[in-house]
Amino acid sequence: MNIDQGLFQFDLTDYHAILGVSLEADAKQIRKRYLKIARKLHPDSLRSEPEQNRRIANEWLSKFVNPAYETLTQDKA
């Protein structure tokens, strides 16, 4: 399914929403939230999960969570 209405029609990525932090979050809050999410999605934390779930979690971590953290911490530096 392709969503192409509202804000979805633009090439936007809301890094704050991905990490679940407010727009006013400082670097410490961003790092704390990133580490919490990264721990949950890390392959070592998902050893008992099926391979497909581990692969999806790894994709989310590398495609969304890591770029969000990198972008937001660069903005706060």
Side-chain angles (χ1 to χ4, degrees):
M1 180 166 81
N2 188 11
I3 302 173
D4 58 0
Q5 297 177 356
L7 291 177
F8 293 104
Q9 66 185 327
F10 303 107
D11 187 23
L12 298 173
T13 304
D14 187 346
Y15 295 118
H16 290 90
I18 290 170
L19 294 182
V21 295
S22 72
L23 296 174
E24 293 82 27
D26 62 18
K28 185 177 178 179
Q29 292 168 318
I30 292 168
R31 178 172 170 74
K32 183 177 179 180
R33 183 67 178 156
Y34 164 75
L35 291 174
K36 184 176 182 178
I37 295 170
R39 266 187 234 111
K40 288 184 178 187
L41 295 177
H42 194 275
D44 290 343
S45 298
L46 301 170
R47 280 185 239 152
S48 63
E49 292 291 322
E51 176 62 31
Q52 183 177 355
N53 290 357
R54 290 194 310 264
R55 185 181 51 76
I56 291 169
N58 191 44
E59 287 180 22
W60 274 85
L61 184 60
S62 63
K63 291 182 181 179
F64 298 106
V65 178
N66 288 340
Y69 176 70
E70 290 170 12
T71 300
L72 292 180
T73 54
Q74 286 175 0
D75 290 348
K76 300 293 182 183

